[in-house]
Amino acid sequence: MTSSSSPSQDTKRLAHAYPEGLRADALMEEDVAWSHEIDGERDGDQFDRSERAALRRVAGLSTELEDVTEVEYRQLRLERVVLVGVWTSGTVQDAENSLAELAALAETAGALVLDGVIQRRDKPDAATYIGSGKAEELRDIVLETGADTVICDGELSPGQLIHLEDVVKVKVIDRTALILDIFAQHAKSREGKAQVALAQMQYMLPRLRGWGQSLSRQMGGGSGGLATRGPGETKIETDRRRIREKMAKMRREIAEMKTGREIKRQERRRHKVPSVAIAGYTNAGKSSLLNRLTGAGVLVENALFATLDPTVRRAETPSGRLYTLADTVGFVRHLPHHLVEAFRSTMEEVGDSDLILHVVDGSHPNPEEQLAAVREVIRDVGATDVPEIVVINKADAADPLVLQRMLRIEKRSIAVSARTGKGIRELLALIDNDLPRPSVEIEALVPYTHGRLVARTHSEGEVISEEHTPEGTLLKARVHEELAAELAPYVPAPAL
């Protein structure tokens, strides 16, 4: 950190080369990034990776006399941004970590970060977020670096956005708009796209701009004569009404999609299949852990919010018990409430699970902050009563002292590495131990003509012992009440 242009001012600038541990790569070391040779067997096919980065030439569109047949790759012009944050509490290290995370978000969205400044204030300025004097300094930085966008590390009011833009003379966006943009880029499924669109419209509604001359302002009521009575809507009012109508339509569509997922969830409940939800900070390695445990082939990338759509896979404990493993959307500090509300139906996977694997990045400079941010969202979706195992991922890249501190603070925790497989066997044993067990212990002699009951006992219950006799299969197992009732006719009579 170096001082700003005025030595007595408390604005601080981040140098072009961030200190070690502050850059976006600190969230996931570059040598831990995905590679086909090393990680192909673990993560499966990563088709989304090539699609996301591909730029394809369409043959036959050239107007030159000589057609180009070779595929060319050209570098797209990245948006050049300057970051600005307001430091209201905590240490300067906390403020720098927050701005470094904003830099990682900006890079994930496809921007080139040129510079960053932090302003020390008791609270953000109501007019320009950082104050009029600092806004003029920010304008000088924008001119000096040639930036075309300013990104603020917080959610700005419509007035703050307008006033700051008037001073710096370039586009200004806030942290919420940046996260929404990343979600819009990465959403793949129909439900994910609808949820992102709803969140964007909720964010956009109070921030519409316009003067209203382009519609029927002169048609308003009053005491006028002929051809003066009309709706009286300005253009901005019409836009707001249309956005509200679209939002209502989106909510209906999301509710219909929620019904389909609820039916699948009820089917799993009917078969008494336990469910485990993977929750955690973005880029903590949730998808890598899912791939390691189930071979799901979910996209793994060194980027924030690389995967949004929830993935549910079937898995098996070391003792042979079946359960489902669900990967959920990643969380981040100050996750916009628009997103929490729009993705509430998706996050219900966490609230309806029997066990939460709370994944935290052990190589992060401050993993405790990640834990607190995720638990805040878990409280918002009403999942505080679900048992939790803290999985400290990236143990191979983490500081041993940080690992020891985390394992000491979190009593139900385990250190693993989804990349190397370290600790995965112990994690599976913990899952097996913490999943709810069937409540009824029963011993039944099932005839060979009712093999379906034996198969259901294996898939829905926990078989303690199994013996094949001339009369049938003698089972001793723990099962749920519904299956116990079906097995009851085959319980041997007690010996006299």
Side-chain angles (χ1 to χ4, degrees):
M1 298 286 293
T2 58
S3 298
S4 136
S5 54
S6 174
S8 62
Q9 295 158 348
D10 51 0
T11 302
K12 300 195 174 187
R13 296 185 61 176
L14 294 177
H16 291 282
Y18 284 80
E20 184 179 355
L22 278 184
R23 201 61 180 152
D25 294 335
L27 297 174
M28 185 177 185
E29 295 296 336
E30 202 60 42
D31 58 359
V32 187
W34 191 92
S35 68
H36 182 75
E37 294 79 6
I38 299 174
D39 303 322
E41 182 178 349
R42 182 193 75 216
D43 289 331
D45 296 324
Q46 299 277 297
F47 298 119
D48 286 348
R49 179 178 305 281
S50 56
E51 290 178 7
R52 189 170 287 182
L55 180 66
R56 297 180 178 83
R57 170 65 60 84
V58 180
L61 298 183
S62 174
T63 57
E64 296 178 350
L65 295 178
E66 188 174 325
D67 192 15
V68 179
T69 56
E70 294 183 3
V71 178
E72 296 179 2
Y73 296 95
R74 64 181 66 175
Q75 184 176 2
L76 296 175
R77 181 184 179 278
L78 299 178
E79 201 160 349
R80 299 159 63 85
V81 302
V82 170
L83 312 179
V84 57
V86 171
W87 168 27
T88 58
S89 62
T91 65
V92 65
Q93 186 65 40
D94 295 335
E96 290 179 352
N97 286 341
S98 180
L99 208 65
E101 185 175 87
L102 188 68
L105 288 167
E107 290 175 358
T108 301
L112 178 63
V113 179
L114 301 178
D115 209 343
V117 296
I118 300 172
Q119 162 70 0
R120 183 71 172 96
R121 299 180 64 93
D122 293 333
K123 62 180 180 179
D125 182 67
T128 60
Y129 184 63
I130 55 175
S132 57
K134 301 305 179 188
E136 291 177 0
E137 289 184 34
L138 180 62
R139 180 188 58 196
D140 295 339
I141 295 172
V142 168
L143 290 173
E144 176 189 334
T145 57
D148 45 35
T149 303
V150 170
I151 304 179
C152 297
D153 190 16
E155 184 167 335
L156 272 62
S157 68
Q160 287 172 324
L161 280 171
I162 294 172
H163 291 147
L164 192 55
E165 275 190 358
D166 288 342
V167 176
V168 299
K169 306 302 182 185
V170 295
K171 181 175 68 175
V172 176
I173 64 174
D174 59 14
R175 182 188 181 94
T176 300
L178 179 61
I179 293 176
L180 286 171
D181 182 75
I182 296 172
F183 272 54
Q185 290 182 47
H186 293 177
K188 293 288 185 183
S189 68
R190 177 168 168 257
E191 184 175 14
K193 291 176 180 178
Q195 289 168 328
V196 173
L198 175 60
Q200 285 178 317
M201 285 186 286
Q202 286 176 320
Y203 174 80
M204 188 193 315
L205 185 60
R207 291 171 174 81
L208 287 178
R209 302 184 194 179
W211 293 267
Q213 291 95 335
S214 56
L215 205 65
S216 55
R217 177 175 290 188
Q218 73 277 11
M219 294 294 286
S223 57
L226 296 175
T228 60
R229 285 173 286 272
E233 281 188 309
T234 63
K235 181 71 169 73
I236 195 169
E237 289 170 345
T238 305
D239 290 342
R240 284 175 180 152
R241 176 168 50 81
R242 287 174 177 168
I243 286 179
R244 290 190 188 99
E245 290 171 355
K246 287 183 179 178
M247 287 170 60
K249 182 182 177 183
M250 284 290 180
R251 288 193 179 100
R252 288 194 297 269
E253 290 180 359
I254 291 173
E256 291 171 2
M257 294 181 234
K258 176 184 175 182
T259 303
R261 193 172 52 253
E262 182 62 30
I263 290 173
K264 294 179 182 177
R265 206 177 290 146
Q266 288 176 355
E267 189 70 11
R268 295 198 295 268
R269 288 197 204 105
R270 189 172 68 85
H271 290 292
K272 306 298 180 183
V273 179
S275 61
V276 177
I278 301 178
Y281 213 75
T282 179
N283 213 40
K286 299 184 300 299
S287 297
S288 298
L289 185 63
L290 178 71
N291 290 337
R292 170 65 70 175
L293 294 175
T294 66
V298 176
L299 174 71
V300 173
E301 190 171 14
N302 182 20
L304 306 187
F305 300 113
T307 50
L308 296 182
D309 302 317
T311 304
V312 181
R313 290 291 183 269
R314 179 173 167 171
E316 189 173 324
T317 65
S319 63
R321 300 170 62 198
L322 294 178
Y323 65 98
T324 59
L325 198 61
D327 183 19
T328 60
V329 64
F331 304 141
V332 73
R333 277 182 299 185
H334 313 303
L335 188 67
H337 66 274
H338 308 296
L339 282 175
V340 174
E341 188 61 34
F343 278 78
R344 185 171 295 277
S345 57
T346 303
M347 294 175 183
E348 285 173 359
E349 292 287 352
V350 177
D352 289 342
S353 62
D354 296 301
L355 180 65
I356 296 175
L357 297 184
H358 185 163
V359 183
V360 61
D361 183 357
S363 65
H364 191 269
N366 197 342
E368 289 88 352
E369 280 192 7
Q370 291 192 352
L371 281 169
V374 174
R375 282 171 176 161
E376 183 179 348
V377 181
I378 288 176
R379 282 196 300 271
D380 289 343
V381 298
T384 53
D385 296 332
V386 182
E388 175 192 69
I389 297 176
V390 176
V391 182
I392 307 168
N393 194 22
K394 306 182 187 178
D396 54 324
D399 184 345
L401 295 177
V402 174
L403 284 181
Q404 291 176 13
R405 186 179 78 236
M406 292 293 295
L407 291 171
R408 185 177 67 252
I409 295 173
E410 298 294 333
K411 301 305 179 185
R412 291 171 49 80
S413 60
I414 183 172
V416 305
S417 171
R419 177 177 174 82
T420 65
K422 175 187 175 183
I424 296 297
R425 185 176 299 175
E426 292 81 359
L427 175 60
L428 286 170
L430 274 178
I431 295 173
D432 196 357
N433 184 64
D434 287 3
L435 282 178
R437 296 182 177 277
S439 56
V440 181
E441 186 171 325
I442 192 171
E443 185 173 351
L445 183 61
V446 183
Y448 290 121
T449 54
H450 291 71
R452 178 182 59 85
L453 286 176
V454 178
R456 282 189 59 193
T457 304
H458 278 277
S459 62
E460 301 176 22
E462 183 178 352
V463 176
I464 300 173
S465 65
E466 182 179 17
E467 181 183 352
H468 298 287
T469 68
E471 294 79 15
T473 305
L474 182 62
L475 285 174
K476 186 176 182 181
R478 293 188 185 93
V479 295
H480 52 82
E481 294 178 358
E482 182 182 337
L483 185 54
E486 296 186 42
L487 289 169
Y490 308 108
V491 174
L496 296 178

